[in-house]
Amino acid sequence: MVLLHGFLVDSRLWQPQLERLSAEFTVIAWDAPGAGQSADPPEPFGIDDWADCLAGLLDAVGVESAHVVGVSWGGMLAQEFYRRRGERVRSLTLAGTYSGWRSSLGAALSEERLANCLRDASLPAAEVVAKYMPGMLGESATQAAREELARIMSDFHPAGFRLMAMSSAEVDTRDILREIRVPTLLVWGDADARSPLTVARQFHAAIPDARLAIVAGAGHVSNVDAPAQFNAVVRDFCAGGDASAMR
């Protein structure tokens, strides 16, 4: 199982999943180039380049195929990875993601988000955390979860943030959604302010036989907001119960 984080965060976002799912799966949570302990990528760098890097990582650790789980920007990367290396994807779990900001949210909001991100990337970390944290979690999140997420976000890479924001605005995966032929699970918090349930419905309608799991009270990063529920639905899906029924 390969876990793909969103922008402003890194592999530590997946700690609740690493702790609980590793008993049943070999779990890999990467730091994408431009995040965590990975170096910043050169510019320009697009979602296709990250997908190639992910393929290189799987080659390096000897993984031929995997269950791919992506949240937010990581979900867009998961879609692009399927487009380019579909034979290496056993299933897809897409959480609070987009087919691209423009295609999911509209041109005006996409342009506004991108302009904000390009400007905010140069702000002090504390200001970035204060600005973006309210959109990440719902009211159900514990104080400990909020503090840990703030700590992770405070270590963001300005260059990675800019490039991931640019790729979010540029990518358009709508053409691949109807071509997905692996079991697909959509996980969405019903309090997601950044990728609302209307986007989840778009995905549910477009991907053949996709299953939609709605996490009550959770925000944009439902794996942090409601880790027990997120873990349970992903575990059951990837273990074959729901996945085998969808084949």
Side-chain angles (χ1 to χ4, degrees):
M1 182 182 294
V2 177
L3 308 178
L4 309 177
H5 61 77
F7 74 19
L8 286 177
V9 292
D10 55 48
S11 60
R12 292 173 293 171
L13 184 79
W14 297 107
Q15 194 58 39
Q17 287 66 56
L18 289 167
E19 292 175 354
R20 298 300 180 184
L21 297 179
S22 293
E24 298 170 60
F25 303 92
T26 299
V27 184
I28 299 170
W30 84 331
D31 284 337
Q37 297 184 62
S38 291
D40 290 338
E43 298 189 34
F45 204 81
I47 200 78
D48 54 337
D49 297 306
W50 272 292
D52 289 343
C53 287
L54 179 58
L57 171 65
L58 296 185
D59 289 342
V61 297
V63 173
E64 294 185 3
S65 64
H67 300 286
V68 180
V69 182
V71 62
S72 191
W73 177 85
M76 288 186 279
L77 173 58
Q79 295 166 66
E80 184 63 27
F81 185 73
Y82 178 82
R83 183 205 301 273
R84 299 171 70 82
R85 309 294 176 99
E87 74 282 358
R88 307 192 72 166
V89 179
R90 299 178 64 182
S91 72
L92 283 169
T93 296
L94 307 174
T97 191
Y98 317 86
S99 56
W101 285 349
R102 178 180 291 269
S103 60
S104 289
L105 305 173
L109 183 52
S110 174
E111 291 170 7
E112 178 184 348
R113 281 196 178 182
L114 179 58
N116 287 339
C117 290
L118 295 179
R119 181 187 64 247
D120 296 341
S122 62
L123 293 176
E127 293 185 32
V128 173
V129 172
K131 181 171 183 178
Y132 287 85
M133 175 64 80
M136 296 296 182
L137 300 174
E139 294 182 359
S140 63
T142 65
Q143 184 60 30
R146 294 179 189 280
E147 292 174 357
E148 177 61 13
L149 182 57
R151 187 174 70 85
I152 296 169
M153 291 172 63
S154 69
D155 293 332
F156 80 96
H157 294 209
F161 181 27
R162 286 193 303 271
L163 289 168
M164 290 179 193
M166 291 170 63
S167 67
S168 299
E170 293 168 358
V171 71
D172 187 343
T173 62
R174 286 176 295 179
D175 64 324
I176 194 62
L177 298 184
R178 295 190 183 278
E179 305 302 321
I180 292 176
R181 295 295 182 265
V182 296
T184 302
L185 172 67
L186 310 172
V187 185
W188 244 263
D190 65 1
D192 190 339
R194 292 192 61 82
S195 181
L197 280 176
T198 53
V199 179
R201 303 295 184 193
Q202 294 169 10
F203 274 81
H204 197 212
I207 301 174
D209 299 319
R211 175 191 171 189
L212 174 59
I214 298 175
V215 184
H220 191 50
V221 283
S222 55
N223 66 300
V224 173
D225 244 326
Q229 189 171 346
F230 185 95
N231 291 348
V233 71
V234 171
R235 178 191 300 111
D236 290 346
F237 173 74
C238 292
D242 294 313
S244 60
M246 294 169 59
R247 292 185 192 277

